[in-house]
Amino acid sequence: MDELKDIKFEPDDFELIGDKQNIMIDEVEPARPLWKDVLGRFMENKGALIGIILIIIITLLAIFAPIFSKFTYDGVDTAATNIAPNATHWFGTDAFGRDLWARLWTGTRISLIIAIVAVIIDIVVGMTYGLISGYFGGLVDVILQRIQEIINSIPTLVVLTILLTVMKPSLTTVIIALIFTEWIPMSRITRAQVLKVKEDEFVLASRTLGASNFFIIFREILPNIFGQLIIMSMMTIPNAIFYEAYLAFVGLGLTVPRASLGTLINDGFENFLVYPYQMLIPSLVLAILMLSFNLFGDGLRDALDPTMKEM
């Protein structure tokens, strides 16, 4: 200890590392756009990447496979009934000799169209309904919520059965049935998000400055909740695809010779014990498609709102 007391430090014993002149200047990270952060988090999610790649592959096959196939989805060949998969008919044929490769991807196209329509219904009807209900509140909210509860209390199958009494089974009938009930979950999510955001400081500031209700809803509130709504829309896609497949399986979907994944599974189910490929192939495509959209939706949720990953 006595030796330490005799130690003296000179001014040149210590030297600052770095530029002495700029030692008090803070280093500012360059601005990074939000979309780059979202894309970076999304690219780190291997499951989401696999999902989006499978969706792209299936979509391209649904668009181009029927175009370049030498067979049509409704072409009947009684001399080639129930042929197993081979070099000519890659997925085999059905009981009417129709090529299942062409029918499968044509049916996948129909299922994807229904999925896109479901998203449009969610955004146009459900989002608008929830925005109006949540923002205005009071009597408007009470009336809109009671209407929604009445509609939601009617089973979708009953709605479709009523529609079939005045309309023929078709893609249009399925879409109209979706319009009646598909938007309700989206409207509930939107309303809940609006109720959480509409009392924040930036909304109160806009209202104080005299901004119109239209401006506040679509320029202040909607951009701050749009991420959650996009996630919800992605989650409704596999539900819509499964809904169409379910209707077709119970005989309330498209009519012959139109094909969808549901009708192909229904037709294959009748011959499953003898020709299992007729049901297994469309069932596998349906499962991959639904799983891919679920993976993509989960990845999009984690990318847009990383805090939800821990919940």
Side-chain angles (χ1 to χ4, degrees):
M1 293 299 292
D2 294 335
E3 294 177 358
L4 293 177
K5 292 180 181 180
D6 296 334
I7 295 176
K8 295 182 180 180
F9 294 101
E10 300 296 333
D12 295 334
D13 286 344
F14 298 96
E15 184 177 353
L16 293 172
I17 298 176
D19 191 348
K20 298 179 182 179
Q21 311 230 339
N22 297 326
I23 193 65
M24 300 303 294
I25 299 177
D26 293 333
E27 292 185 6
V28 180
E29 292 290 335
R32 182 180 173 91
L34 176 61
W35 68 268
K36 285 189 177 181
D37 289 333
V38 172
L39 182 60
R41 289 192 291 267
F42 184 84
M43 297 296 290
E44 293 174 357
N45 191 320
K46 299 299 187 293
L49 287 178
I50 293 173
I52 190 64
I53 291 172
L54 290 174
I55 291 170
I56 292 173
I57 293 173
I58 292 175
T59 302
L60 291 176
L61 285 171
I63 294 173
F64 295 107
I67 296 176
F68 294 104
S69 175
K70 62 181 179 180
F71 301 102
T72 60
Y73 76 92
D74 57 350
V76 176
D77 184 3
T78 56
T81 59
N82 295 322
I83 294 179
N86 54 47
T88 303
H89 302 280
W90 292 355
F91 286 171
T93 62
D94 62 6
F96 297 93
R98 296 173 297 197
D99 182 68
L100 289 179
W101 169 266
R103 287 181 63 78
L104 175 72
W105 298 119
T106 302
T108 304
R109 185 188 300 176
I110 297 296
S111 297
L112 290 173
I113 290 173
I114 291 175
I116 293 172
V117 170
V119 171
I120 294 174
I121 293 170
D122 270 355
I123 294 175
V124 174
V125 181
M127 186 181 71
T128 304
Y129 197 95
L131 284 170
I132 294 173
S133 179
Y135 177 77
F136 289 102
L139 183 61
V140 174
D141 184 40
V142 171
I143 293 174
L144 292 180
Q145 290 305 302
R146 297 298 83 75
I147 294 173
Q148 177 181 287
E149 289 172 2
I150 293 172
I151 295 174
N152 193 44
S153 64
I154 304 173
T156 305
L157 190 59
V158 174
V159 173
L160 187 63
T161 304
I162 294 173
L163 288 174
L164 290 175
T165 60
V166 294
M167 301 177 65
K168 295 181 179 179
S170 64
L171 179 61
T172 303
T173 306
V174 174
I175 291 175
I176 292 175
L178 287 173
I179 292 174
F180 271 100
T181 57
E182 183 64 27
W183 55 271
I184 290 178
M186 172 60 81
S187 71
R188 288 176 173 172
I189 296 294
T190 305
R191 175 177 176 270
Q193 293 295 319
V194 172
L195 290 174
K196 184 172 63 175
V197 172
K198 74 174 185 177
E199 299 300 334
D200 286 352
E201 288 79 1
F202 65 92
V203 176
L204 296 176
S206 296
R207 191 179 292 118
T208 303
L209 293 173
S212 64
N213 291 328
F214 183 86
F215 179 89
I216 294 174
I217 291 174
F218 290 99
R219 294 295 298 275
E220 298 289 349
I221 295 178
L222 183 57
N224 286 279
I225 65 174
F226 196 67
Q228 294 294 328
L229 303 187
I230 292 295
I231 295 168
M232 184 65 187
S233 297
M234 291 299 102
M235 293 300 186
T236 62
I237 291 178
N239 292 335
I241 294 174
F242 180 78
Y243 175 71
E244 182 279 328
Y246 163 73
L247 293 178
F249 189 76
V250 298
L252 299 175
L254 304 179
T255 56
V256 179
R258 296 293 297 276
S260 70
L261 291 177
T263 59
L264 291 173
I265 294 172
N266 187 32
D267 294 341
F269 178 73
E270 298 177 358
N271 302 316
F272 177 71
L273 295 178
V274 182
Y275 310 106
Y277 65 90
Q278 295 182 6
M279 178 180 173
L280 291 178
I281 294 175
S283 298
L284 181 62
V285 173
L286 177 62
I288 293 174
L289 192 58
M290 293 183 64
L291 177 61
S292 300
F293 274 112
N294 278 318
L295 291 174
F296 175 63
D298 288 340
L300 195 61
R301 178 199 62 199
D302 296 340
L304 290 171
D305 189 359
T307 60
M308 293 188 65
K309 189 174 183 180
E310 301 175 357
M311 296 177 63

